Every structure is written in structure tokens, then in C-alpha cells.
Amino acid sequence: MRIELVNTTNNYRQMGKIEETLELKSVRPTAMRILIYKFMANKKIAVALTDIENAFTKADRTTLYRTIKTFEENGIVHQIDDGTGIAKYALCEEGCNCQIDQDLHLHFHCGHCDETICLTQHKIPQIKVPDGFVPENVNLVVKGICDKCNGL
């Protein structure tokens, strides 16, 4: 019984932190938004909208899509184009505001397990484009075999 109480206390703390994070990004912390944020926080990989739909089978698909788009527009998640043709989403790091000149990092796509992982400790250097060009998105994906699939 005590273990359940501790887990419940930790869940309340985690929910409070999620609510605070959403509010700091000017996003109203609805029950569905909190659940989706928690789902993504528990994943160590980028997720596709279908992954979220499969986890929340009783939820309306439009609500899930709108939640992800709201998160993206408010700098809570970033979208990753890993070359598979399916957009993936990952939570932004604390303090990230998804600006091209300061918050970009590598992504790794494993060709064996098909997972995409943010390598936030590996930053993309600032890329200078010619005058008149306006960068809107930068995405660098390294493809190969991840440490799990490689047996390390």
C-alpha cells in the first residue's frame, strides 16, 4: 500500500510540473494536454501522431492532432523529418525556444528499429546562408544503427 501512495505522490508532483510547464508556454493545461505531455515525457524517442493515437484509442483524433500542433506552435515539442515520410515529434528541452540560431541538435534514425532519437547534447553549428535567404527550419538526421540494436 505504501508503494502505491509514493507513486501517487510522485504522479501528483509530475502532473503539477507538467501543468507549470504548459502554463509557462501559455498553453492551458487541459487533462488531454497533460496526458499527452506525460506520454511524450515517458518516451525517450520521437513519436509519430499514430503512436499517440494508438496510446489514446478512446480520444478524438482531431483533439490529438490539435494538441500536438498547439505544442509545436508554443515551443513545447519540435517536429522532426527523419526521412521516413512520417513527421515525428519530441519534447523540447527546458529553456528551448526552437530558434534556428541557438536550439538545434542532431537527430538519429535507426534503420533497424525505425526509432528516431534526439541527440540534444550534440548541437548543430549555426549555418550562415547567403544574403536574401531566410532559413525557416534546419534538420540534421544521422541514419544508422542505434546502440540498442547494435547490442551495446
Side-chain angles (χ1 to χ4, degrees):
M1 183 72 108
R2 181 164 190 231
I3 293 172
E4 289 179 28
L5 181 59
V6 171
N7 286 340
T8 301
T9 302
N10 287 338
N11 280 338
Y12 284 129
R13 257 190 232 127
Q14 185 182 22
M15 293 296 187
K17 186 171 171 100
I18 293 170
E19 285 182 38
E20 184 180 314
T21 300
L22 295 176
E23 287 172 349
L24 284 171
K25 294 288 189 168
S26 301
V27 174
R28 193 167 54 89
T30 64
M32 183 55 71
R33 289 174 179 170
I34 291 168
L35 288 171
I36 291 172
Y37 187 100
K38 184 177 179 182
F39 170 78
M40 293 183 75
N42 288 331
K43 296 285 185 183
K44 299 300 177 202
I45 60 171
V47 296
L49 187 57
T50 54
D51 297 324
I52 297 169
E53 290 171 359
N54 291 337
F56 298 94
T57 56
K58 298 200 188 267
D60 178 57
R61 185 177 193 187
T62 304
T63 300
L64 300 175
Y65 176 79
R66 286 183 182 156
T67 297
I68 288 298
K69 284 301 168 193
T70 298
F71 282 5
E72 186 177 14
E73 290 165 2
N74 289 282
I76 296 168
V77 301
H78 60 280
Q79 184 180 26
I80 303 160
D81 176 3
D82 62 7
T84 62
I86 300 169
K88 306 261 176 64
Y89 300 91
L91 289 177
C92 293
E93 289 185 301
E94 192 173 320
C96 171
N97 51 15
C98 293
Q99 292 182 358
I100 289 178
D101 59 346
Q102 52 185 278
D103 294 322
L104 298 176
H105 57 267
L106 291 176
H107 297 97
F108 188 93
H109 180 76
C110 179
H112 187 262
C113 65
D114 206 32
E115 291 182 348
T116 299
I117 304 152
C118 289
L119 301 176
T120 55
Q121 68 277 21
H122 298 284
K123 302 294 183 192
I124 297 174
Q126 187 175 3
I127 298 169
K128 181 97 171 116
V129 296
D131 290 339
F133 288 77
V134 179
E136 294 178 345
N137 186 11
V138 176
N139 187 34
L140 183 56
V141 178
V142 177
K143 295 183 179 196
I145 306 298
C146 70
D147 57 350
K148 280 190 318 188
C149 293
N150 197 24
L152 298 178

